[in-house]
Amino acid sequence: GRRGQAGVHMACVLKSNGYENITILEKNPNDGHFGKTHSYVLEETGDSVIHEMGTCYLSWSYKHIRKLFEHYVGPDATMVPGKDKFNKIKMPAPKLMQTKGHTIETSDEWLYAHLEKLLLPPPVWNLVWDKAQALRFAKDVRVYRKLHEKIMGKYPYHGMIPQPVSKEAWKLIDQTYAKLMTSHGLQSILDLSAVGFGSYGYGYDVPALYGLWFVTPSAVESYIKAKLSSKVKPVEVVQKGYSNLWRKMIESPAHDIRSSIQYGAKVTSIDRNLDDESKKKVSITYEKEGKTVINEADFVIVAAPMQEIVPLIKKPTEVEKKASESIETVGLNVVLYKTKKKDDVSLTFYPETLQSIYTKSPDGEVYAERNSVRTYMPSHDEKHKCRYVVTYQHLPGGSHGKDEYYDKKAREFITSKEQVVWPTEGKVEKLYQKNWTNYFPRFNQKAIMDGYPWKVYQAEGHNKTWYIGSSVSFESVEDVTTFNLDLLKEQGFKIRFPPPKPEEN
């Protein structure tokens, strides 16, 4: 296992359902972070202001994660970014502004102006988001739902996505998501999804399969519902940080797994003894504190990225080898800066930096800024004399050993009037940087067309092995946890999770 979201979740599910002999091998020290969840607390802003350097958002469709927050943290664990004071999203588009001749600042203005530029004049595509015009956009959503079902069929969304339902469906996924959308006249859905892809750091030009996986019809519909009802919140953040959820799950009396975790354990080999029927155990060798340790298990659950673990397995299967060799990743550079205050809201997105129509070769341009104080504790904004902002950079070519380069690029971007319209002025001080070098693992297009996402899933349970986590599902906390539940059900487990609270027993 591994103490990331998928590993912690799976261990808690198994232990709460009676499986006691569980060991989690975590290569990192016990630093309070969990996989790609990295809730950073800065002394000068206090523990009430969270600086999320990894997992940070919940969409409306995150049903299982919301259930976990309510069960382990409480009913008020999540909130709209900025609450009532700073809850608007800015989307400056300087390049589009040059052709339109007027200010483009909000998400509504950008969607409207971009569609007008690419498609039809305002009388046809008037997407100003009042309640009446939202109904017009609903037509495209209905078309998208039909297209989605035509390709993937009907399923609960999140977790493991089903195979395409027909030969025609397979042909439709043999392209990028952007091409799939534009070829079906769904530029409006594509523009809307650009905000989602951007905020989560996936980039923009992803394989069609992964676009369909992430941009579910229910997720798109939530944006319309939000315009028609204030009760619908398309995107939220966690008041005390995502790390708080995993910490509480690990420490829960219902399935306390603290003693099951071996920190600083670097796995060096896995021998499943497939050629020797007399050996029923899996032998896992790892290094810890300068010593070599051999642990024997009945079964191994690989929560770490598949491409990192398969090379350590003695005699992997052909499916395991080919699948792991076909996984691609991108980089995601996240930096916390301290700057002079400026008039902004909680979240600012720069959609042009992710799209080749505006940025020919995107590589490290800032695509989003989040003002931590105004997002998590807007009532404290006046007492802070400085602005604490987290910037995000999507790195298609990876980011190994380039911390200083991308830090410099981020500083140049947020202080440039040409790129951000309303630049950050004065001194920009870096406080913390997290460079995710193997972000958004996914199968390449050839492997998708060869069926490897489903071949791996069909092989689950064979050879004393399960694969879980983002490399075999999708890089979202909802997907990796729902995938676990799907897998357990597929393997014949009858489970209940979250476990009943004491008063429910």
Side-chain angles (χ1 to χ4, degrees):
R2 187 174 180 179
R3 199 195 62 155
Q5 297 99 315
V8 167
H9 180 265
M10 180 61 86
C12 290
V13 173
L14 290 174
K15 191 159 187 182
S16 68
N17 283 274
Y19 294 86
E20 295 291 338
N21 191 11
I22 297 171
T23 301
I24 300 176
L25 300 178
E26 170 56 53
K27 70 176 182 178
N28 295 312
N30 187 7
D31 56 6
H33 305 303
F34 306 89
K36 294 188 180 79
T37 296
H38 201 95
S39 304
Y40 184 68
V41 176
L42 188 65
E43 184 176 351
E44 58 191 90
T45 53
D47 58 10
S48 61
V49 176
I50 301 299
H51 307 280
E52 292 282 29
M53 309 297 288
T55 314
C56 50
Y57 300 116
L58 297 89
S59 80
W60 178 253
S61 62
Y62 280 21
K63 305 300 183 185
H64 183 57
I65 288 297
R66 289 179 183 278
K67 186 185 296 185
L68 294 181
F69 270 111
E70 184 173 352
H71 184 90
Y72 291 101
V73 182
D76 300 319
T78 62
M79 58 179 276
V80 173
K83 295 188 176 179
D84 294 332
K85 194 172 184 180
F86 300 111
N87 64 353
K88 301 297 181 183
I89 297 177
K90 278 190 175 182
M91 291 184 68
K95 294 176 182 177
L96 189 55
M97 283 171 58
Q98 292 175 6
T99 63
K100 301 305 300 176
H102 60 75
T103 299
I104 298 172
E105 179 178 350
T106 69
S107 57
D108 298 346
E109 291 168 347
W110 180 77
L111 283 165
Y112 169 59
H114 186 57
L115 283 166
E116 182 184 340
K117 171 184 172 66
L118 294 180
L119 297 173
L120 299 170
V124 181
W125 279 102
N126 185 9
L127 292 180
V128 179
W129 287 95
D130 57 31
K131 291 186 178 181
Q133 299 302 340
L135 295 176
R136 242 180 232 196
F137 183 66
K139 179 181 177 181
D140 272 7
V141 176
R142 289 196 296 271
V143 173
Y144 182 65
R145 175 175 282 279
K146 289 181 179 179
L147 176 64
H148 202 283
E149 290 180 2
K150 178 181 179 181
I151 298 173
M152 309 311 307
K154 293 184 178 181
Y155 66 104
Y157 305 136
H158 297 296
M160 184 59 195
I161 196 168
Q163 292 192 59
V165 298
S166 66
K167 289 183 179 180
E168 183 184 0
W170 276 99
K171 290 180 181 178
L172 287 171
I173 69 165
D174 193 13
Q175 57 188 314
T176 66
Y177 185 67
K179 288 182 179 178
L180 175 66
M181 291 294 97
T182 54
S183 66
H184 285 80
L186 295 173
Q187 183 68 46
S188 59
I189 303 294
L190 186 62
D191 285 343
L192 187 62
S193 67
V195 180
F197 280 121
S199 63
Y200 288 82
Y202 306 138
Y204 189 72
D205 211 15
V206 302
L209 175 69
Y210 289 97
L212 294 165
W213 204 325
F214 180 69
V215 187
T216 64
S218 63
V220 177
E221 287 165 359
S222 70
Y223 284 88
I224 294 178
K225 292 176 181 177
K227 298 298 178 180
L228 302 175
S229 172
S230 60
K231 294 181 180 180
V232 178
K233 303 173 181 64
V235 176
E236 290 185 287
V237 292
V238 183
Q239 292 203 47
K240 294 185 178 180
Y242 254 104
S243 294
N244 191 39
L245 170 62
W246 308 114
R247 187 179 303 110
K248 286 186 176 294
M249 285 180 65
I250 285 173
E251 298 173 356
S252 171
H255 45 67
D256 191 331
I257 60 171
R258 283 175 289 184
S259 62
S260 301
I261 305 175
Q262 293 288 330
Y263 292 102
K266 183 180 179 181
V267 175
T268 56
S269 70
I270 300 173
D271 188 351
R272 297 176 293 192
N273 295 305
L274 301 180
D275 296 333
D276 190 344
E277 293 184 1
S278 65
K279 295 182 178 180
K280 304 294 184 182
K281 301 286 187 178
V282 178
S283 299
I284 304 170
T285 305
Y286 61 92
E287 302 289 334
K288 180 176 180 179
E289 298 176 350
K291 297 179 180 179
T292 299
V293 182
I294 299 177
N295 190 12
E296 289 197 334
D298 297 313
F299 201 83
V300 60
I301 300 176
V302 178
M306 190 180 190
Q307 70 273 21
E308 294 180 11
I309 299 300
V310 170
L312 306 179
I313 296 177
K314 183 179 179 181
K315 296 184 178 180
T317 67
E318 282 301 304
V319 168
E320 288 173 325
K321 285 194 293 184
K322 290 182 178 179
S324 65
E325 290 167 358
S326 68
I327 293 175
E328 301 175 335
T329 62
V330 297
L332 178 66
N333 191 51
V334 187
V335 191
L336 170 62
Y337 292 110
K338 179 179 179 180
T339 76
K340 180 181 177 181
K341 274 195 170 183
K342 72 172 187 177
D343 184 22
D344 66 352
V345 287
S346 58
L347 305 172
T348 303
F349 292 109
Y350 302 101
E352 292 179 343
T353 65
L354 295 175
Q355 300 187 46
S356 57
I357 187 175
Y358 298 112
T359 307
K360 289 186 177 180
S361 300
D363 182 30
E365 290 79 12
V366 173
Y367 68 78
E369 292 182 76
R370 186 177 61 247
N371 184 318
S372 294
V373 176
R374 291 188 174 185
T375 295
Y376 291 94
M377 194 54 65
S379 60
H380 288 193
D381 183 62
E382 292 185 3
K383 83 173 190 177
H384 290 287
K385 296 181 180 179
C386 298
R387 174 173 174 257
Y388 298 87
V389 61
V390 177
T391 64
Y392 291 84
Q393 296 160 276
H394 172 66
L395 316 174
S399 54
H400 292 279
K402 296 182 178 180
D403 286 17
E404 292 185 6
Y405 171 76
Y406 286 115
D407 167 34
K408 179 183 177 183
K409 200 162 186 176
R411 292 168 185 264
E412 291 173 348
F413 186 96
I414 64 175
T415 56
S416 167
K417 184 176 182 180
E418 290 74 22
Q419 292 181 295
V420 304
V421 185
W422 299 276
T424 298
E425 298 178 348
K427 182 181 178 182
V428 177
E429 179 184 355
K430 184 176 79 171
L431 300 177
Y432 193 70
Q433 182 173 6
K434 185 62 184 177
N435 192 338
W436 302 100
T437 56
N438 289 304
Y439 189 68
F440 188 24
R442 61 194 185 276
F443 292 101
N444 61 33
Q445 188 62 43
K446 184 179 185 306
I448 291 170
M449 299 310 294
D450 287 339
Y452 275 98
W454 303 281
K455 287 180 181 179
V456 172
Y457 193 67
Q458 290 162 0
E460 297 278 25
H462 294 276
N463 303 318
K464 311 170 191 174
T465 309
W466 283 349
Y467 290 96
I468 64 174
S470 58
S471 64
V472 294
S473 58
F474 189 89
E475 184 77 277
S476 88
V477 67
E478 178 72 11
D479 281 285
V480 298
T481 53
T482 305
F483 180 93
N484 286 349
L485 300 180
D486 289 347
L487 178 60
L488 287 162
K489 183 178 179 181
E490 182 75 19
Q491 297 291 319
F493 286 73
K494 293 182 179 180
I495 59 160
R496 181 176 178 182
F497 197 80
K501 293 181 179 180
E503 61 270 20
E504 299 173 354
N505 287 326

